[in-house]
Structure formats: structure tokens, C-alpha cells
Amino acid sequence: MIEDVFRETTAEPRTQSVPLSHLSLEIGHLYLEDFERGPERLREHFALARPWADAAAAAAAAGTAGRRPRISTCFLIDDYFSRFSSPADVVPPLLAEAARAGLTIDYLVRESGCAVADGFELARSVADRLVESPPPGSNGGRPPARRTGWLANGRRGPTGLVGHETWQPPEETLARRHSVFLDTELWDDEGPVRTWSCAFLAAVWQLLRLGLLRHDGSPVLRPALWDGRTLPSDWDELPALLQVDATAEPFAAYRTCSLLPYRFLPVEHAVMVVLDQTDVDPVALAQTSRRAADEGIDLPASVAERAGYVFYPGP
């Protein structure tokens, strides 16, 4: 006996694809104290970043199978951990100093948008997709990261032992002879609402730039085009993803490159740990990989390996 099966088409949302550049180039991510130092600090940052931006663009061109590389640039503003000044006061000098160094900012992003985007709890949705890699010898006795808010790249050393002879070192899961163990805090619940760590929001930021996040099959954090004139006095009134240049290449890309001061290195190490243990939407991942193959682009299977960095010396 054959039974007909009827399904509501809305019950299985289609995973939408997103436009993709070859490279998403982040040309800045500065803190409150940087902006408080005024245009001179911005000028210093962009002057240091410019030669590395040129190098990243050249590297992208070498990997596009002879095609003109599609490169979009972005700048992340921290309005999550500290609210300061206003978009009307911050954005114009930021764009002016970038232009002074010969750089163009295509997209401005508010870091708070990596936590909540258009009412959707984006960071929490990524946290729900964490799949911890069990270290060798683990017995399931360690509470999961979803409960503790801590994620490690291996086996933690035992606690509660007395005497140095019973001490055991932590161990990196994929160590190459010697371990580089990292245990990173993803959030804390000390206030009235959960506060996501800088490292975890930076991991969400990378997934956004790689075009791999969806909500009910739809892309999250869609760009809003700026009219070039009006800027609000409150950060909450500024779109989380503002497209500054109407002719810019797509925000998301096959690969990312972030030009950051050296002090960001520990945070970005933690980002790699998070990306390595996040179960990314398999359909979105397959879409990106298939389109890269169609363009003759060699794209790593590992999401973490799609994120690149330049850490320049300086403040």
C-alpha cells in the first residue's frame, strides 16, 4: 500500500545563498580608547594598515584563477562593550582618515550586531551550534561549554590534586609534538543579561563575513545602504551593517583577512578555537564550497582556515 505524504512547503525553509566576494578585508577594529585619542590615532592606524591592505589585495588576486578579484572592505566599531560619542561624530572622521591613507571602507559594522541582529539573538544561535572536540582520554565528566561558558582546544589539567607529583599538564587535542593549550571564556552571566566575550563575538564576526550564518534559511545582518548624508546621534539607530559605498563588492566572501594591531593576537587565537568547534549550517557551507569550485577557487574545507590575519606592530 502506497501512502501519499503531504508537506507544507513552509515547513522546510530553503537555505538562501548570499552574494560573495573573493575576499572580505577588515581594515580596522579599534577600541574606545583609540577613538578618544582623536583623528591622529585613526591616521596612525590606517597608515600602518595601508601596505598590508595592498599585500592582501595582491594575494587575493593571485588566487582567483586569473579573474579580477572581488574585494570588499569593512571596519568594526565596538559599541557593545562601551558606548561612546555618536555615529554622527565618529563616522565622518573615520571615513576621512581612511581616505587620507588611500583606503576605502565599504561596510561599517557595529559589534553589538554580532550579539543581536534585527531582534535575532545571533550570538546565542552560534553558541547553540558548538560541538566540542573530545580530547584524548576524556570520559564525559567535564561540563559542556554550553553550560560553563568556557571552551578549550584540548584536555584541561586535573584539579583538586595535592602535591606536585600528581600534577598533569593540559594537552592540546591536535598538538604537533608540544601543546599550545587554550581555554577561552565565551560569555558570563554576571549581569542582568548574558555578556558575550570579545573572542566569541569575533568568531560570530568571522562567520558573518564568510556568509555562513542563517536564520530560518535566510541570511542574517543584511547590509543597509547609507545615503551619504544622514547619521543618527544614537548607535542603536544606526544599522548594524551599513553599506557606505553603493558600488561595493558583496560584504560576505570566500575568505577573510583582518588587519589588526598585535594586541589582538590572543583574541584571534581564541576565535580559531571557536570556529574549529562550531557546527556551521551544512547547506550554507556546501553552497559556498560549490560556488568556489565553479570559479576555480581552492577553498579549504575547514572554516577556520578560511580566516586570515595580519598582525602589525604598534599600539
Side-chain angles (χ1 to χ4, degrees):
M1 178 179 179
I2 299 176
E3 296 183 356
D4 291 331
V5 177
F6 296 93
R7 291 186 179 140
E8 292 283 349
T9 56
T10 55
E12 297 179 357
R14 180 176 63 88
T15 300
Q16 299 177 20
S17 61
V18 298
L20 292 169
S21 293
H22 292 109
L23 179 70
S24 166
L25 180 59
E26 180 181 7
I27 59 175
H29 177 178
L30 302 178
Y31 290 137
L32 166 62
E33 55 267 28
D34 294 298
F35 287 98
E36 286 180 333
R37 290 173 54 188
E40 293 77 13
R41 172 65 186 107
L42 298 177
R43 190 171 306 155
E44 177 186 32
H45 164 76
F46 289 122
L48 290 169
R50 172 60 196 270
W52 300 111
D54 292 342
T64 56
R67 297 182 178 90
R68 182 184 67 83
R70 301 186 301 274
I71 301 173
S72 64
T73 61
C74 56
F75 192 101
L76 189 68
I77 296 177
D78 176 17
D79 70 326
Y80 181 76
F81 294 102
S82 56
R83 287 297 176 99
F84 61 96
S85 190
S86 71
D89 292 332
V90 169
V91 173
L94 177 66
L95 298 178
E97 291 302 332
R100 181 189 181 102
L103 296 169
T104 300
I105 298 176
D106 295 326
Y107 298 91
L108 282 173
V109 187
R110 295 192 292 112
E111 191 163 15
S112 59
C114 296
V116 180
D118 298 326
F120 174 57
E121 295 193 58
L122 182 54
R124 192 176 294 272
S125 73
V126 174
D128 288 341
R129 301 191 73 96
L130 291 175
V131 180
E132 295 176 80
S133 302
S138 61
N139 57 12
R142 185 175 74 187
R146 294 185 188 183
R147 186 190 310 168
T148 64
W150 286 83
L151 185 69
N153 65 344
R155 178 180 58 81
R156 299 174 173 92
T159 59
L161 302 178
V162 179
H164 68 276
E165 293 188 5
T166 56
W167 176 81
Q168 295 180 25
E171 180 182 359
E172 182 186 1
T173 300
L174 299 177
R176 295 190 176 184
R177 186 174 178 89
H178 295 93
S179 289
V180 180
F181 179 79
L182 181 68
D183 204 351
T184 183
E185 187 175 17
L186 306 179
W187 66 77
D188 70 60
D189 293 314
E190 296 177 1
V193 295
R194 173 166 291 181
T195 300
W196 303 98
S197 72
C198 181
F200 190 73
L201 289 181
V204 176
W205 170 230
Q206 288 289 347
L207 291 170
L208 282 168
R209 293 168 62 199
L210 289 168
L212 296 175
L213 295 184
R214 301 290 187 276
H215 175 45
D216 291 337
S218 297
V220 297
L221 210 62
R222 297 175 184 270
L225 183 61
W226 181 38
D227 63 11
R229 298 187 300 274
T230 307
L231 287 167
S233 59
D234 188 279
W235 287 106
D236 288 332
E237 297 175 6
L238 188 75
L241 174 54
L242 186 69
Q243 183 173 345
V244 179
D245 185 351
T247 65
E249 299 288 1
F251 167 71
Y254 294 124
R255 293 177 181 268
T256 69
C257 180
S258 300
L259 311 179
L260 302 171
Y262 188 76
R263 67 177 186 265
F264 281 88
L265 179 57
V267 170
E268 301 306 327
H269 181 192
V271 168
M272 295 297 101
V273 172
V274 175
L275 294 181
D276 274 334
Q277 299 183 68
T278 300
D279 181 25
V280 177
D281 185 316
V283 179
L285 195 61
Q287 286 176 343
T288 304
S289 299
R290 184 171 58 251
R291 289 168 60 184
D294 290 344
E295 289 198 59
I297 296 170
D298 184 18
L299 195 62
S302 167
V303 172
E305 292 180 16
R306 300 180 187 184
Y309 295 93
V310 172
F311 297 101
Y312 64 77

